[in-house]
Amino acid sequence: MVAIEAVRASNTSLKSLPPLVAVFVGGTSGIGLFTARELARNTTSPHIYLVGRNQTEASKIIDELKAINSSTQVSFIQKDVSLLKNVDEACQEIKSKEKQVNLLFMTCGYFVFTGRDETSEGLDKKFALHYYTRMRFISQLQPLLNAAASSKSVSRVVGVLDPQIGLRLTPNFSDLSLKNTFSLKNCATHASAMTNLSFYKLARENTGTSYVHAYPGFVDTGAGRDARGALALLAKPIMWVMLKMMQVMPAESGERHLYAATSTSFAPQAGEDAATGSFLLNWNGDVLADTDKGRKLREEGKEDAVWEHTEDVFKKICAEGGKY
Ligand SMILES: NC(=O)c1ccc[n+]([C@@H]2O[C@H](COP(=O)([O-])OP(=O)(O)OC[C@H]3O[C@@H](n4cnc5c(N)ncnc54)[C@H](OP(=O)(O)O)[C@@H]3O)[C@@H](O)[C@H]2O)c1
């Protein structure tokens, strides 16, 4: 476990860095917001982009972040990013204003206890937000992340979800998009394992950027507030008890995620394998132990199969304007 004092010392040292550009996809609530607050508190003249749907929350957050640090610049991009075409529009806006991006921090998603909910682009909405949307943000903003790496500045992608599921369970490679085999369990397995594998591949291809897939622990964010269905009735009280017993407090969650997003411990060259800049983190900053299942997937080159599928989805939806 990384001691909270070490986390704070690392975060405090960020004040001496040149201004950072950080994109929070899901910055209007929860872990994204908690981390944006810590970024504003600990850096000088950051430019923070918040991407989300909720204009009312965004307006309050802009005032709050500026009150924390008056040198902070905050831009809100209002988009429903469960649609990849909206991801492209958001990225276009960022690319028109920035030459480099130092941090892409992604928490978009939600807890749901009902079945497949297909978007007009043919993907399940929750699965899209937990995987395809995030990969599309990376692929669109990678040139700006590379520019940050070239100027020897922080260049990092953080996806907050749960890498542990994908270390224990194997996706169904004959139905990666879960068109025919959707279940909440399969959705969690695919989003987790596909993120682990994609980050592994991306880190090998973009050696100046590091990719962190972080498990946040239980954080009281209000996520799940809109969950409906019989399962939700059962799950909500269980989640409430788990939260009360095991929760990471919001401020600490923000501090720990800022650490994951900026600490030199997770710089591209800091991995055990020097060619790898991908890290699977537990809530406390520990790198998760590899598993036989995770190792086997990489030995079989499954990251290529996952990325090929991801690019096929991008081609059909984003390049051809169709439906997957
Ligand atoms: N909290 C936990 O204990 C916990 C535990 C394990 C894993 N996780 C995972 O960690 C991630 C973050 O969780 P959280 O608790 O911070 O969630 P949260 O408080 O509900 O925040 C989710 C963020 O995603 C954005 N979002 C959701 N749907 C969107 C859409 N269609 N378009 C644009 N933005 C959208 C929301 O913004 P708008 O409402 O403005 O659109 C919000 O800013 C999630 O993927 C969650 O599954 C959380």
Side-chain angles (χ1 to χ4, degrees):
M1 169 157 170
V2 180
I4 193 69
E5 294 76 17
V7 166
R8 288 180 185 146
S10 171
N11 290 348
T12 305
S13 73
L14 301 174
K15 276 267 186 248
S16 59
L17 292 181
L20 298 178
V21 175
V23 178
F24 287 85
V25 184
T28 55
S29 164
I31 297 158
L33 166 59
F34 306 152
T35 308
R37 276 184 189 140
E38 295 309 317
L39 183 82
R41 204 183 317 283
N42 287 285
T43 59
T44 306
S45 305
H47 189 166
I48 294 176
Y49 285 87
L50 303 172
V51 183
R53 295 161 301 175
N54 193 329
Q55 175 71 63
T56 312
E57 280 308 309
S59 301
K60 283 193 242 165
I61 293 165
I62 290 170
D63 291 346
E64 187 197 342
L65 295 180
K66 286 186 173 159
I68 290 172
N69 176 351
S70 59
S71 75
T72 307
Q73 190 186 341
V74 193
S75 305
F76 177 54
I77 301 180
Q78 187 178 32
K79 294 281 175 205
D80 176 347
V81 294
S82 62
L83 294 178
L84 301 187
K85 77 172 175 51
N86 293 346
V87 174
D88 285 1
E89 286 173 13
C91 292
Q92 204 44 53
E93 195 171 330
I94 296 164
K95 285 192 272 191
S96 72
K97 291 182 182 146
E98 302 295 340
K99 290 199 169 54
Q100 62 179 53
V101 165
N102 300 99
L103 172 62
L104 173 58
F105 191 91
M106 298 179 288
T107 53
C108 54
Y110 62 108
F111 288 102
V112 70
F113 298 97
T114 44
R116 187 178 167 87
D117 178 11
E118 199 162 291
T119 68
S120 56
E121 295 177 337
L123 300 170
D124 172 69
K125 186 173 178 184
K126 176 185 168 102
F127 189 15
L129 286 165
H130 283 179
Y131 179 72
Y132 297 103
T133 293
R134 296 174 180 207
M135 296 307 135
R136 187 67 186 171
F137 266 103
I138 299 172
S139 72
Q140 292 301 290
L141 295 182
Q142 188 66 58
L144 278 72
L145 288 157
N146 290 343
S150 297
S151 67
K152 305 272 177 265
S153 192
V154 177
S155 176
R156 196 162 302 176
V157 172
V158 179
V160 179
L161 196 61
D162 187 351
Q164 300 166 104
I165 306 172
L167 285 171
R168 287 196 313 266
L169 301 171
T170 304
N172 172 3
F173 283 89
S174 61
D175 185 25
L176 279 175
S177 78
L178 297 173
K179 194 83 163 172
N180 305 308
T181 53
F182 186 91
S183 69
L184 291 176
K185 183 179 172 208
N186 290 346
C187 182
T189 303
H190 278 221
S192 172
M194 288 164 72
T195 301
N196 291 349
L197 288 165
S198 293
F199 278 14
Y200 176 72
K201 182 174 174 69
L202 289 163
R204 292 180 161 251
E205 288 174 358
N206 304 286
T207 52
T209 304
S210 55
Y211 302 79
V212 176
H213 184 183
Y215 173 65
F218 288 98
V219 190
D220 194 358
T221 60
R225 50 203 165 272
D226 302 326
R228 291 180 301 278
L231 255 180
L233 282 179
L234 192 69
K236 277 185 179 179
I238 298 171
M239 282 171 66
W240 186 85
V241 172
M242 307 256 289
L243 258 180
K244 292 300 151 201
M245 287 168 56
M246 303 162 75
Q247 78 165 307
V248 182
M249 297 308 281
E252 180 174 347
S253 176
E255 292 175 304
R256 288 193 175 277
H257 283 97
L258 180 63
Y259 178 79
T262 54
S263 165
T264 50
S265 302
F266 312 119
Q269 69 283 6
E272 259 177 44
D273 171 354
T276 308
S278 66
F279 300 86
L280 309 184
L281 293 192
N282 206 344
W283 73 271
N284 59 10
D286 285 347
V287 174
L288 290 162
D290 205 359
T291 60
D292 290 344
K293 279 217 163 78
R295 201 173 300 112
K296 185 165 180 285
L297 288 173
R298 297 194 309 278
E299 279 167 8
E300 291 171 351
K302 293 295 191 198
E303 68 276 10
D304 292 330
V306 166
W307 198 250
E308 201 178 299
H309 159 76
T310 307
E311 289 195 318
D312 189 36
V313 169
F314 292 167
K315 179 168 173 278
K316 290 211 169 76
I317 295 174
C318 307
E320 295 168 5
K323 199 172 161 173
Y324 190 76

